[in-house]
Amino acid sequence: QVQLQESGPGLVKPSQTLSLKCTVSGGSINSGGYDWSWIRQRPGKGLEWIGYVHYSGSTYYNPSLKSRFAISIDTSKNQFSLRLSSVTAADTAVYFCARVVRTSRKFDFWGQGTLVTVSS
Amino acid sequence: QSVLTQPPSVSGAPGQRVTISCTGSRSNIGAGYDVHWYQQLPGAAPKLLISGDNDRPSGVPDRFSGSKSGTSASLAITGLQAEDEADYYCQAYDTSLTGSDVVFGGGTKLTVL
């Protein structure tokens, strides 16, 4: 059974850069049949897809979001990461990582999520 | 405003049947792309509930079923139970010029009366 676990700071100051990691266990991140994705959920709101990365390093982002996001992958550590620059209070959210099946675009495994609060 | 439209809330009594709609467009559901449904229990991560319109992952009760017609999809829950109280999200692939690759519905809160 594939498991994903987010890690990173729970509190970030405005204008700083947020960095989160997602560690994958129970399966290889090198599998070509999947993309690895980040999704966030602002307090009391719905799911917002941020983007995903393939093991090859190719990425795709939600065009509705500003280009402050960067997703990368480290296959040697079976991890992928999210960086969000110039954070504001509007970036306060629970951030989830998930595995995406390429052929169907379904998110079949999710991490438990990590709450990130942007505050001085 | 979400690309896929869901009712904000639905409710039903234990044992009843409820449905949750998900309305899209010709660039997503109407184009024939799979619709997936997720259940998010309070304080938890979303869980894949229905995939490929009406496939249930292992462990999901057959009380949950999905369907699709035209530019809309629906999730049906029969024999409603207290533990079904959760938020439900639909999701699909989208190919519109202004849309994103992945689109979610705004979510529907199910209350079991």
Side-chain angles (χ1 to χ4, degrees):
Chain A
Q1 175 98 340
V2 172
Q3 292 185 313
L4 297 93
Q5 178 67 58
E6 304 88 350
S7 59
L11 180 64
V12 181
K13 289 181 166 49
S15 80
Q16 290 189 339
T17 295
L18 163 66
S19 294
L20 297 174
K21 290 190 187 301
C22 181
T23 301
V24 179
S25 58
S28 174
I29 207 168
N30 275 327
S31 174
Y34 305 103
D35 288 310
W36 304 92
S37 187
W38 288 96
I39 306 97
R40 72 178 180 182
Q41 186 171 36
R42 293 184 173 115
K45 301 298 184 182
L47 302 172
E48 182 176 40
W49 174 66
I50 296 170
Y52 53 70
V53 61
H54 187 247
Y55 83 93
S56 63
S58 62
T59 55
Y60 189 75
Y61 299 96
N62 184 341
S64 300
L65 298 176
K66 294 183 179 179
S67 56
R68 295 183 294 122
F69 293 96
I71 300 175
S72 59
I73 194 164
D74 186 339
T75 55
S76 67
K77 296 181 179 178
N78 233 35
Q79 288 180 338
F80 62 107
S81 301
L82 174 72
R83 283 173 58 88
L84 174 59
S85 60
S86 305
V87 299
T88 69
D91 296 311
T92 293
V94 175
Y95 287 78
F96 297 99
C97 59
R99 189 179 81 168
V100 187
V101 178
R102 296 200 105 197
T103 52
S104 64
R105 281 287 170 259
K106 67 180 177 185
F107 294 71
D108 60 350
F109 290 100
W110 295 67
Q112 65 185 26
T114 185
L115 173 63
V116 176
T117 301
V118 179
S119 175
S120 55
Chain B
Q1 190 169 354
S2 302
V3 174
L4 302 179
T5 301
Q6 299 179 234
S9 63
V10 298
S11 62
Q16 284 189 333
R17 178 180 186 270
V18 295
T19 61
I20 298 173
S21 62
C22 174
T23 302
S25 66
R26 287 182 295 177
S27 65
N28 41 68
I29 299 175
Y33 295 117
D34 288 343
V35 178
H36 314 297
W37 292 90
Y38 303 87
Q39 178 191 59
Q40 187 176 30
L41 296 171
K47 181 187 89 167
L48 180 63
L49 190 68
I50 297 285
S51 67
D53 303 342
N54 193 25
D55 290 328
R56 286 185 307 277
S58 174
V60 174
D62 60 6
R63 301 186 295 105
F64 295 89
S65 63
S67 62
K68 186 174 75 176
S69 178
T71 57
S72 295
S74 290
L75 172 70
I77 310 171
T78 58
L80 204 58
Q81 299 180 4
E83 59 259 36
D84 298 333
E85 189 159 288
D87 293 324
Y88 293 84
Y89 295 88
C90 59
Q91 176 250 317
Y93 179 76
D94 184 279
T95 59
S96 69
L97 290 176
T98 56
S100 62
D101 181 305
V102 167
V103 288
F104 283 100
T108 298
K109 182 174 181 58
L110 169 62
T111 300
V112 180
L113 302 171

